[in-house]
Structures are given as C-alpha cells and as structure tokens.
Amino acid sequence: MEIDRLDPRTGARTGLTERPYSNADYENNGCFIGVYNGKAYFEERTIIPGSGFRRTVLTAVDAEGRAETVWDPWPQAEWVLGDDGGRYIWLYRDNYNTSYAACALLDTETGQITPVTQALQTGSGAVSLRGKAHDGRWLVVIGADSVGRTTDYGLIDADQFAAGSTDWQPVTMWQG
C-alpha cells in the first residue's frame, strides 16, 4: 500500500511511505489508522493464534515522508487511537467493540501520554470528546444518566483539559 500526498491545486502527488498489505493476510500488516495533526499513523500487529492480534508498534509519517516510531512496544494492549483533538489524540480503552472509555491523551508534538482524570459530573465514566468549536475549544461530554446516555456537555481549551482542568463552560442544549 502506498500513501501519497496530493496537492489539489496542481494535481502533483508526492510519495510519503509504503506499507506491506494483503487482504488475505490483513492482520499481519501495518494498518493505516488515520491522519492526526498532519501526520499519518500506522499500527503494526502480531497475530495471537486463535484469539486475534496484539498491537505492537505505532508509527507516524509526516507530510515530508519522515517516519518516526511513536510507540514500540504499544504501551497498553487495550488502547486504541480515537478522536483527533488537534495537537492531542484521544486514547480509548477498547472493550471489544461494546464500549469505549476515554483513558488518556497522546500529545502529537511531544509524544507524552496524559491520563484523563476528569470524571463526569453526573453518571459514571470518563469525560470524552465530541467535537471542536469554531474557536478551537473542545466540546466534551460532562454528564450522563443512569443508563449512560449523554445529558451534559461543556466547552474547554485543549491545553487546559490536558493539564487536568474541569473549568469547562457548560453548554445548554437546544430544547426545540
């Protein structure tokens, strides 16, 4: 599999990286995860016979084609890369596709992992990202009911959140 950068103004393509790929042997391949903060991310996997795979290495490739190893080995087997918060990638705990719990932030500039320590104001579980506002603040879930449905949202600056702040601005949802 070849990953290229395309300049839409000129139509010029620049090769960034190549990764092995085979549909028949998918889980042995480096898997493209997504683009976060201008870098393409790939995971490598090791097959566990009879029970799937284990993530082993995370690599980032920038717009110039320079590759860097972010993790080797993967720090927590159940972590998956989630939402793109700009500079930060939200890391979620994979409960085998039944639910995702936000557990940490990966700083794409420093490689530092910061645990998400903020708890919901109502309900149980961790705060999670739902989107970004026009001013760059994050829209985060800050409350849930007894069955886990979102009830409350807040806006907060990404760096403040990464520093552990709960000084979010509550958002009143439109009631129609």
Side-chain angles (χ1 to χ4, degrees):
M1 171 175 57
E2 180 179 332
I3 303 295
D4 295 336
R5 180 179 65 194
L6 171 68
D7 182 338
R9 293 170 299 183
T10 66
R13 293 180 188 268
T14 305
L16 296 180
T17 188
E18 291 183 16
R19 299 281 183 218
Y21 185 81
S22 163
N23 269 339
D25 201 17
Y26 172 74
E27 291 187 350
N28 282 324
N29 294 289
C31 181
F32 173 69
I33 299 173
V35 176
Y36 300 94
N37 202 22
K39 294 180 182 178
Y41 283 79
F42 300 87
E43 68 181 28
E44 293 178 26
R45 302 168 174 175
T46 299
I47 297 299
I48 302 171
S51 64
F53 64 88
R54 179 173 50 87
R55 296 173 179 94
T56 56
V57 179
L58 179 65
T59 303
V61 178
D62 69 15
E64 302 303 318
R66 294 180 296 255
E68 65 176 305
T69 300
V70 179
W71 294 331
D72 185 6
W74 200 272
Q76 297 287 331
E78 72 276 8
W79 283 2
V80 294
L81 273 64
D83 303 312
D84 179 8
R87 174 179 173 177
Y88 301 96
I89 300 173
W90 284 66
L91 304 174
Y92 291 90
R93 180 170 288 113
D94 185 354
N95 273 346
Y96 304 101
N97 297 323
T98 57
S99 66
Y100 289 94
C103 56
L105 300 174
L106 170 63
D107 185 327
T108 61
E109 293 178 8
T110 67
Q112 181 177 345
I113 298 171
T114 303
V116 171
T117 58
Q118 295 92 325
L120 296 178
Q121 291 179 328
T122 59
S124 62
V127 173
S128 59
L129 180 67
R130 284 298 177 258
K132 289 190 282 189
H134 70 284
D135 62 3
R137 291 182 297 166
W138 288 346
L139 177 66
V140 293
V141 172
I142 61 172
D145 64 17
S146 61
V147 293
R149 290 182 299 235
T150 299
T151 59
D152 299 292
Y153 294 93
L155 290 168
I156 190 167
D157 178 76
D159 290 329
Q160 285 180 308
F161 186 89
S165 175
T166 58
D167 189 22
W168 36 63
Q169 175 189 348
V171 173
T172 303
M173 300 309 287
W174 182 62
Q175 300 300 313

